[in-house]
Amino acid sequence: MVPRANHLLSALPNPAYQQWAALLEELDMPLGQVLYESGGPFFSTLLVHMSTSSTVSTSAAEVDRSR
């Protein structure tokens, strides 16, 4: 079972957490690990990353579709 170190997970009532706990997997994420590159393959599997001891950043590029 994944510990409730994440604030969102720790706020869940115990019955709700128990439902999700079987689906959770704890992973080590080394500094600089890229989760997804723009234009790269995208997996249809739903993946949710819930950080417990780090900062996760995101960036997006806008495409000018007015032309």
Side-chain angles (χ1 to χ4, degrees), residues 31-67:
L31 181 63
Q33 174 74 40
V34 175
L35 300 177
Y36 175 76
E37 288 280 354
S38 178
F42 185 77
F43 302 100
S44 60
T45 305
L46 175 62
L47 299 175
V48 177
H49 301 277
M50 302 186 87
S51 177
T52 58
S53 62
S54 64
T55 301
V56 178
S57 65
T58 182
S59 61
E62 282 192 34
V63 176
D64 184 359
R65 298 182 193 266
S66 64
R67 297 181 198 196

